[in-house]
Amino acid sequence: KISPPASISIKMASFQSMIQTLSQAKVRDVPVWAKANLTTKNVSQATSSWIQNYGHKYVRTGSGKPIVHVMLALGLLGYIIEYPHLAAHERSRKHH
């Protein structure tokens, strides 16, 4: 198994600690937390580290999981796009 470089592990640790502080916050504190933590820089760094970590975990190992992940994501996206049409059809069916 290939382990990710230390810099990725550190970034993931800081992202995980950020999520942990959010999970411990009260609902009324979420806007304050979001304003402090969801900066462009933090989101960009978290996204970059997630992509690098994903690459180390799945792509560089030769796993077939990325193909499955793409298929699931496309299926979910298709359902989300089609849902309004399905819901409208179901509503009109109840009236008949």
Side-chain angles (χ1 to χ4, degrees):
K1 187 173 182 177
I2 300 172
S3 60
S7 63
I8 293 174
S9 298
I10 291 169
K11 288 178 184 177
M12 284 304 292
S14 66
F15 177 72
Q16 289 170 345
S17 68
M18 188 170 66
I19 295 300
Q20 186 176 13
T21 58
L22 174 61
S23 69
Q24 295 170 351
K26 297 197 182 308
V27 173
R28 68 174 180 261
D29 298 332
V30 171
V32 174
W33 179 91
K35 187 174 183 180
N37 292 289
L38 295 181
T39 63
T40 305
K41 181 181 177 184
N42 287 349
V43 171
S44 175
Q45 285 177 345
T47 303
S48 176
S49 87
W50 179 84
I51 290 170
Q52 288 176 353
N53 192 35
Y54 184 87
H56 283 287
K57 188 173 182 179
Y58 297 112
V59 177
R60 294 186 184 170
T61 61
S63 173
K65 285 186 179 181
I67 295 170
V68 173
H69 294 158
V70 167
M71 289 174 14
L72 289 171
L74 289 174
L76 181 63
L77 179 63
Y79 185 77
I80 290 169
I81 291 170
E82 189 62 23
Y83 183 78
H85 172 63
L86 294 172
H89 180 70
E90 186 63 27
R91 283 190 300 271
S92 71
R93 189 175 129 199
K94 288 180 182 178
H95 295 292
H96 290 133

